[in-house]
Amino acid sequence: SYEVPLALALLVPVMLAGSMSMVGIVEAQAGMWFLFSAPIAAFLFFISSQAETGRAPFDLLEAESELVAGYNIEYSGMKFAMFFAGEFMHVFTNGVLMAVIFTGGWYGPFAREAPLLAFTYLMLKSGFWYLLSLLMRNALPRVRIDQLMTFNWKFLVPLSIANLLMTAFLLKLVQEGGLAPSPEEASDFIANIPQTVVLFLGNVALAAFVMTLIRNQGREERLAEDAGEPSDLTVTPAPAGD
């Protein structure tokens, strides 16, 4: 389910770069990272990738000691360790994708002149997102399956659709207004500021609108609880039999 907001969030940097090529997306961020132009898309992509990987707090509780869980009993030693190494590499791959799509990838000062330095930039940026994933794992409590699906379909998916439409509208507005940098100015920091400011303010406005909706929804639920009205999670006992 989390692939839906993941794909919708990925469309935002594709629109900003005008390319589906990873190299094209990195080169489009030579003047300004997409993290500043599309922070909501970065948030959606990061959260959805964590859920797709099954990382905490999106990992579902499982009684592995009581269940016959396939590879947990059929493999041991190095073969068993390779499964978990694959999981950690999956998380690091998410970090690499975040680095490439939203934080400029390998691009940095003197990156073109020194390929080893470019590789170092990529690893440092990927490591940041990997450490952030570890921080989430150790700081946030695990969610239930119903909360997992509700968070996706009632929050992430509508937010990703609204963010995609808003970004497309603002990007077209910027281009028609002559505020977008030309291809020759793609690596110029100053030339990217007007477009980045417009898109960033649009993201702030959308985030404020969503937070207002969440606050109003929470207030209505509290008022309903104070009034004694049953909520969606209230279990009504069955009537007693004769």
Side-chain angles (χ1 to χ4, degrees):
S1 299
Y2 278 78
E3 292 176 358
V4 177
L6 184 98
L8 293 175
L10 186 58
L11 290 177
V12 173
V14 169
M15 287 193 305
L16 295 177
S19 172
M20 296 184 67
S21 168
M22 289 291 185
V23 177
I25 292 176
V26 171
E27 292 180 346
Q29 299 177 78
M32 184 74 69
W33 290 353
F34 289 161
L35 179 64
F36 303 109
S37 302
I40 293 181
F43 166 79
L44 292 170
F45 188 88
F46 181 74
I47 295 297
S48 300
S49 63
Q50 295 302 302
E52 281 295 309
T53 314
R55 298 285 292 179
F58 303 104
D59 57 332
L60 300 179
L61 191 60
E62 187 176 329
E64 296 177 350
S65 59
E66 289 83 16
L67 297 178
V68 179
Y71 67 89
N72 280 335
I73 64 169
E74 294 175 0
Y75 296 95
S76 62
M78 183 57 68
K79 293 181 180 179
F80 181 76
M82 292 301 293
F83 283 100
F84 286 90
E87 288 192 13
F88 286 116
M89 285 303 299
H90 194 173
V91 179
F92 188 76
T93 302
N94 292 336
V96 174
L97 290 175
M98 284 294 301
V100 169
I101 297 172
F102 292 100
T103 52
W106 53 265
Y107 200 86
F110 307 106
R112 296 185 182 275
E113 293 77 10
L116 185 60
L117 185 60
F119 179 77
T120 303
Y121 288 145
L122 178 61
M123 290 298 103
L124 288 175
K125 295 173 184 178
S126 303
F128 168 80
W129 294 109
Y130 182 78
L131 291 177
L132 185 59
S133 173
L134 294 182
L135 178 63
M136 289 181 56
R137 179 182 180 86
N138 291 279
L140 300 178
R142 181 183 285 113
V143 298
R144 301 193 310 262
I145 178 63
D146 60 318
Q147 296 171 333
L148 183 75
M149 301 307 295
T150 299
F151 181 64
N152 178 65
W153 290 109
K154 292 186 178 181
F155 179 73
L156 291 186
V157 171
L159 179 59
S160 61
I161 295 175
N163 181 59
L164 180 63
L165 296 176
M166 179 207 66
T167 303
F169 171 76
L170 292 180
L171 188 60
K172 186 64 176 179
L173 193 65
V174 166
Q175 293 173 350
E176 293 295 332
L179 299 177
S182 63
E184 295 78 14
E185 299 174 333
S187 59
D188 187 0
F189 174 79
I190 302 300
N192 282 271
I193 289 180
Q195 174 178 300
T196 302
V197 169
V198 172
L199 294 175
F200 180 79
L201 292 178
N203 278 257
V204 171
L206 179 59
F209 176 73
V210 171
M211 295 303 296
T212 302
L213 291 180
I214 294 175
R215 183 179 59 186
N216 293 337
Q217 179 68 21
R219 183 184 297 113
E220 293 177 0
E221 292 180 356
R222 288 193 299 271
L223 292 176
E225 291 178 0
D226 295 339
E229 299 178 4
S231 63
D232 295 338
L233 300 180
T234 302
V235 178
T236 304
D242 296 334

